[in-house]
Amino acid sequence: MKIDTLIVGGGLAGLTCGIRLQKNGVKCAIISTGQSALHFSSGSFDLLNELADGTKVDNPLAAAGRVGTNHPYAKLDGKFAYYVREAKQLFLDCGIEVNGDAERNHLRITPMGTLKPTWLTFSDFTQLSSPRDIAGKKVLVVNIAGFLDFNTKFVADSFEKCGAECRISSINLPELERLRISPTEMRSTNIARVLENDKTLETLIRELAGKVSGFDSVALPAVFGLSSAAPVRKLKEALDIPVWLIPTMPPSVPGIRAQQQLRRSFEALGGVYMLGDTVVKADFKGNRVQAVYSVNHGDISFVAENFVLASGSYFSNGLVARPDSVIEPVFGSDVDFTAGRDSWYDKSFFNKQNYMTFGVATDDKLRIKIKGEVQQNLFAAGSVLSGSNTIHEGCGAGVSMLTALFVADNLIKG
């Protein structure tokens, strides 16, 4: 198979890059092993919440110039603000409704009911400016009976710490009761599939309408709208009070919907998306990649003019930690990491973990280095890159999308 650009990894970075390329006439194929981080999303996309030294960030646009010299944002050729706008527009063009402003982080509600800063949030969810938005409100926190991935007590306790008055309730329907036959069936995605039936959703809405009198808002788990946002809109329009959908523990219904919408957009533009395959090795000639090979295709190679590594970090095996080193397993890319395993981590789980900054080494165009030599047609995008601690700094989605757009533009320009 021969194409213009082959992308290794079908998550947020890979799809963003592929969509940008396809829109500009560059024929792409994506090879994706399986689930991406979007399947575990809490419904928001972080751009920059904190600098490496711990300084809190309210305005990502203003703070982006203060990241480290090896941070992916420092390699965007001074176009950080431009790619921020382009990333949000890409979501909107793909039918993914998001709200947010890069000049000021807003607050999102986490699965625990706490508040965290973020850049963009799915329109499903409530966007808050401060804890005062919750203070003084009477909130009804409702769960689906038997659904264990949404803890109403944690949510209610967190809201009450912000000054709200909460009451907990639950709803059950015959259609949902069938899922309880097996505990493994009572998951967010399965509930969402049941609630895509209009009659079932209308029954649930009637049940809710009988409970919300006297409350200022109702909080529910985000188990609506697996295939489209229509059930979410119908739910919010039908009730007389604001509906606060709360992210659940994984899997994430809105995250999966976003992944599906991005994939559909990529394929509608003519891209080829190969799910359930893994790239395992590559052929080189000099400082250029000639072809790659995958598990499913054996000795049949994928030949392309350019290659993009968007395989993610440790979670998706884009990076693999060994006792004394960290490797990138497909191309054998150079990886920036510190010597001495004791320097990789902090024994306190919630402290900054140094290993999160490890990743592949690149030049200023995000071309990958191997044995110190820049590979002319091999690029990297997303969390496989070195230089950012996406969890500590709150920049995971931003790094994925902005570097993917930057790489795509470099390929388009040739």
Side-chain angles (χ1 to χ4, degrees), residues 26 89 95 177 250 257:
V26 180
Q89 190 60 50
E177 184 66 28
R257 185 173 77 234

Side-chain angles (χ1 to χ4, degrees), residues 346-353 355:
D346 189 297
K347 291 182 179 179
S348 176
F349 179 80
F350 293 102
N351 286 351
K352 180 180 178 181
Q353 302 297 329
Y355 69 86

Side-chain angles (χ1 to χ4, degrees), residues 154-168:
F154 285 166
V155 171
D157 285 351
S158 295
F159 285 176
E160 288 180 346
K161 287 178 182 178
C162 293
E165 178 186 340
C166 296
R167 184 182 300 173
I168 294 172

Side-chain angles (χ1 to χ4, degrees), residues 86-312:
E86 292 293 294
K88 182 177 180 179
Q89 190 60 50
L90 184 142
F91 274 142
L92 299 175
D93 290 345
C94 292
I96 299 170
E97 300 174 15
V98 290
N99 300 311
D101 188 341
E103 292 185 350
R104 183 167 181 79
N105 283 326
H106 62 267
L107 297 178
R108 64 178 176 91
I109 303 173
T110 73
M112 303 293 285
T114 56
L115 303 182
K116 296 290 185 182
T118 194
W119 164 44
L120 298 176
T121 294
F122 290 127
S123 60
D124 299 31
F125 298 109
T126 301
Q127 184 177 329
L128 303 173
S129 58
S130 79
R132 291 190 297 274
D133 294 341
I134 295 177
K137 286 186 167 55
K138 294 182 66 176
V139 183
L140 179 65
V141 183
V142 180
N143 196 11
I144 305 297
F147 180 45
L148 302 180
D149 292 337
F150 179 66
N151 193 308
T152 52
K153 184 66 166 61
F154 285 166
V155 171
D157 285 351
S158 295
F159 285 176
E160 288 180 346
K161 287 178 182 178
C162 293
E165 178 186 340
C166 296
R167 184 182 300 173
I168 294 172
S169 184
S170 65
I171 283 181
N172 197 14
L173 303 174
E175 294 83 356
L176 296 172
E177 184 66 28
R178 298 189 191 105
L179 296 178
R180 299 181 66 185
I181 295 173
S182 168
T184 60
E185 297 299 318
M186 187 57 83
R187 304 303 301 275
S188 58
T189 49
N190 294 328
I191 295 170
R193 289 188 184 98
V194 171
L195 294 176
E196 287 190 334
N197 180 282
D198 286 341
K199 290 185 178 179
T200 305
L201 180 60
E202 288 167 4
T203 302
L204 182 138
I205 290 171
R206 285 197 298 272
E207 289 282 330
L208 281 172
K211 293 175 177 286
V212 299
S213 178
F215 290 91
D216 298 309
S217 61
V218 56
L220 295 160
V223 293
F224 303 87
L226 186 62
S227 301
S228 77
V232 178
R233 288 194 292 267
K234 187 171 184 177
L235 172 68
K236 291 185 175 183
E237 290 169 0
L239 295 178
D240 293 331
I241 64 173
V243 176
W244 294 354
L245 292 185
I246 311 295
T248 69
M249 299 298 288
S252 164
V253 169
I256 292 172
R257 185 173 77 234
Q259 171 85 21
Q260 292 172 341
Q261 288 175 271
L262 288 170
R263 177 180 173 178
R264 283 195 294 267
S265 296
F266 173 69
E267 292 178 325
L269 290 165
V272 177
Y273 193 94
M274 290 173 280
L275 180 64
D277 200 0
T278 302
V279 177
V280 291
K281 63 178 181 178
D283 286 338
F284 290 84
K285 185 177 181 180
N287 59 357
R288 296 183 68 87
V289 181
Q290 298 296 302
V292 299
Y293 300 84
S294 72
V295 171
N296 292 353
H297 290 81
D299 293 334
I300 301 173
S301 65
F302 294 88
V303 179
E305 290 296 319
N306 294 288
F307 297 82
V308 178
L309 181 66
S311 53

